[in-house]
């Protein structure tokens, strides 16, 4: 189990208590640390080594947790993007539009059926009227044929009159053939009209049973579904926005974690300096008073380094904690959003839509079957009525023939002398009869034209296609979209909860471990105690310091270390040869850009 930093502080304090708080003794074997002094510095070094190792481990763990948090946010944002894309997808909007359109189509069916029924009633009425006109015209044509026979008798077998009557009979035969054709059409039309009207009854009864309740329910379900999907989209956007804010704050915290790495390096440099000092003592074997002076100067320098590191760490740690605290409001908002019931009523809405679609499927199947039967009958009616319209030209020419018959009869009578005068009486009757036939033909033409107009109306009044319009496919699209989005939101909730847990754990761990200032100050006090009571460095001590201090300076990676070194160094900066370094004095401050970072 790793040692906690508070334990390290206790270890340092215990090491300092054992060294009696006095100056290093001046006696002892040359080349070896004074009794007690070297041991004490080594104890401090051991404590600082443990401190640095613990800092490295814990700050790396914190950085790893924060990187995991970043990855979690990235995954969460990717899921939310997929949700937004699915909700904004054209197919989902089209599916809802299909549901709404089908509701409108079924809702308009009763009005369409009523209009068709009125048109069929009018067509039946006009066909009955047309049948009466046909009966009357046949009667008049029969009378006209009798009048032709009377002309032959009155003319006494005159050749001109016989030829005229034969021609008249031919025209009357042609007229009767055309009237019989129209009559046959009407014979076919009557049952078709009746059956077409009867076919409307089941449609009307079905409509009375389900309209407007079913289409209104489907329309309401489609509206609820659209609102649900919009709510889900807004929820996804809210979470996406908050996750982006957290991502930026976590990036700031990652930057602030540099304080752990920089402080670790500075503590390690203190430990390395103590190792250099012990190595120098063993190799150079200086006189005790020289060693004491050198050690006192170095201890004072290192105490200053630890105090500076502790102060900088405290400032950086406060910044880090504030950055972590700044994430708090965002995680609170995120927790609030993901714990809302957004999307929780999705399954219920889908069940309601599915139930409505099943009802609509069953209904539209029955309506479609009935409508197809009715539609076929209507097509037959429309076809018959269109055929009647084609007879208009024939009737028009028959009307012209009748007018010509009346005129030609009168002219023939005037040219035939006494015979003509005998025939003229019959000719006048023919003229009256032709006028009556003309009026009947005019009424017939007018009636047929009205029927032709009703044929167009019947075709236009067909209900909008009652096929389910892809209701099943629409439901499948909506189900798939909502299922994907529900799963995405569920995953998003899990990721968000994991993210909050990571951030809370990171904040708690760092809050516990950032109380390192006291441990470094305690170690600094110990080194200061070792440095107290020593005399000013003699010439020999300064010579040794002139060798040691540049070695120590090469350890530094932070400008703050160099500044403290200058402040505590008992010797002036040496002039550095340009062949070895730029004219920057003892420290190459241009190295600042090479300071290590945690990541």
């Amino acid at each position: 189990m790793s040692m906690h930093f508070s334990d390290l502080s206790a270890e340092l304090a215990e090491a300092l208590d054992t060294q009696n708080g006095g100056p290093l003794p001046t006696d002892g074997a040359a080349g070896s640390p004074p009794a007690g002094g070297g041991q004490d510095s080594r104890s401090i070094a051991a404590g600082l080594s443990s401190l640095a190792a613990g800092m490295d481990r814990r700050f790396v763990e914190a950085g790893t947790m924060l990187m995991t948090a970043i990855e979690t946010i990235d995954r969460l944002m990717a899921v939310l993007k997929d949700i937004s894309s699915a909700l904004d997808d054209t197919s989902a909007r089209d599916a809802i539009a299909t549901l709404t359109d089908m509701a409108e189509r079924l809702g308009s069916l009763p009005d369409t059926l009523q209009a068709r029924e009125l048109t069929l009633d009018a067509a039946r009425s006009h066909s009955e009227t047309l049948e009466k006109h046909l009966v009357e015209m046949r009667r008049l044509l029969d009378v006209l044929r009798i009048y032709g026979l009377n002309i032959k008798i009155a003319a006494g077998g005159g050749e001109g009159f016989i030829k005229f009557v034969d021609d008249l009979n031919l025209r009357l035969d042609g007229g009767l053939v055309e009237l019989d054709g129209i009559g046959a059409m009407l014979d076919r039309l009557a049952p078709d009209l009746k059956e077409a009207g009867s076919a409307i009854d089941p449609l009307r009864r079905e409509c009375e049973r389900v309209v407007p309740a079913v289409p209104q329910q489907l329309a309401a379900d489609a509206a609820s579904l659209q609102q649900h999907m919009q709510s889900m989209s807004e929820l996804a956007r809210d979470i996406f926005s908050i996750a982006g804010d957290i991502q930026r704050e976590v990036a700031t915290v990652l930057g602030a974690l540099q304080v752990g790495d920089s402080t670790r390096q500075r503590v390690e440099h203190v430990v390395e300096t103590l190792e250099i000092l012990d190595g120098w003592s063993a190799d150079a074997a200086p006189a005790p008073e020289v060693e004491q002076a050198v050690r006192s100067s170095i201890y004072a320098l290192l105490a200053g380094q630890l105090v500076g590191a502790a102060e900088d760490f405290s400032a950086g740690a406060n910044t880090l904690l504030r950055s972590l605290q700044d994430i708090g409001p965002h995680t609170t908002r995120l927790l609030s959003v993901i714990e809302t019931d957004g999307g929780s009523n999705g399954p219920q809405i889908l069940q309601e839509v599915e139930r409505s679609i099943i009802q609509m499927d069953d209904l539209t199947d029955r309506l479609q079957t009935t409508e197809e039967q009715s539609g076929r009958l209507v097509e037959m009616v429309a076809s018959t009525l269109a055929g009647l319209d084609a007879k208009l030209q024939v009737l028009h020419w028959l009307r012209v023939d009748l007018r010509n018959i009346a005129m030609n009869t009168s002219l023939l009578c005037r040219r035939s002398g006494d015979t003509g005068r005998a025939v003229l009486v019959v000719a006048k009757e023919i003229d009256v009869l032709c006028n009556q036939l003309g009026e009947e033909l005019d009424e017939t033409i007018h009636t047929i034209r009205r029927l032709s107009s009703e044929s167009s109306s019947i075709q236009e009044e067909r209900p909008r296609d009652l096929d389910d319009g892809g209701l099943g496919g629409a439901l499948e699209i909506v189900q798939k979209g909502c299922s994907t989005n529900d799963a995405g939101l569920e995953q998003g909730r899990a990721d968000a909860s994991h993210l909050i847990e990571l951030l809370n754990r990171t904040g708690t761990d760092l809050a516990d471990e950032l109380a390192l200032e006291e441990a470094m100050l305690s170690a600094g006090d110990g080194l200061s105690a070792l440095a107290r009571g020593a005399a000013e460095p003699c010439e020999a001590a300064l010579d040794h310091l002139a060798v040691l201090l540049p070695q120590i300076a090469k350890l530094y990676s932070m400008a703050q270390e160099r500044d403290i070194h200058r402040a505590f160094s008992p010797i002036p900066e040496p002039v550095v040869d340009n062949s070895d370094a730029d004219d920057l004095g003892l420290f190459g401050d241009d190295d600042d850009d090479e300071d290590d970072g945690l990541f």
Side-chain angles (χ1 to χ4, degrees), residues 115-116 119 451-462:
R116 175 190 284 185
T119 303
L451 281 169
S452 177
S453 174
E454 285 152 5
S455 168
S456 300
S457 298
I458 288 173
Q459 290 177 311
E460 291 172 0
E461 288 160 3
R462 292 199 60 181

Side-chain angles (χ1 to χ4, degrees), residues 227-256:
Q227 184 177 4
H228 166 67
M229 296 181 73
Q230 183 176 354
S231 298
M232 291 175 68
S233 180
E234 291 172 356
L235 176 63
R237 283 194 293 269
D238 288 344
I239 297 177
F240 187 87
S241 175
I242 298 171
D245 293 338
I246 293 176
Q247 188 179 48
R248 287 185 288 274
E249 294 293 344
V250 170
T252 302
V253 173
L254 278 172

Side-chain angles (χ1 to χ4, degrees), residues 555-572:
L555 300 174
Y556 301 146
S557 56
M558 262 70 72
Q560 298 94 319
E561 294 176 294
R562 301 181 186 115
D563 292 339
I564 293 171
H565 188 103
R566 290 190 186 98
F568 280 86
S569 177
I571 60 174

Side-chain angles (χ1 to χ4, degrees), residues 209-222:
R209 188 177 70 83
V210 299
V211 178
V214 172
Q216 285 178 351
Q217 183 61 47
L218 182 62
D221 290 341

Side-chain angles (χ1 to χ4, degrees), residues 289-290 292-294 296-297 533-542 545 570:
E289 65 276 8
V290 173
Q292 182 180 4
V294 170
S296 295
S297 295
E536 288 295 321
C538 61
E539 190 68 28
L542 290 174
L545 287 170

Side-chain angles (χ1 to χ4, degrees), residues 114-161:
Q114 184 178 12
R116 175 190 284 185
E117 194 169 26
L118 291 174
T119 303
L120 288 174
D121 287 342
R124 276 194 294 272
S125 174
H126 292 139
S127 64
E128 291 170 359
T129 300
L130 182 58
E131 179 65 35
K132 293 176 181 178
H133 289 310
L134 291 179
V135 170
E136 181 62 15
M137 283 190 293
R138 286 193 186 96
R139 186 189 68 80
L140 292 174
L141 289 176
D142 289 339
V143 172
L144 191 57
R145 189 183 299 277
I146 293 172
Y147 282 170
L149 181 59
N150 290 339
I151 288 176
K152 282 185 177 183
I153 296 172
E159 183 178 354
F161 287 101

Side-chain angles (χ1 to χ4, degrees), residues 39 91 97 121 129 174 198 241 281 303 408 431 491:
Q39 180 62 43
S91 59
D121 287 342
T129 300
S198 299
S241 175
S281 176
N408 291 337
D431 184 60
Q491 180 63 44

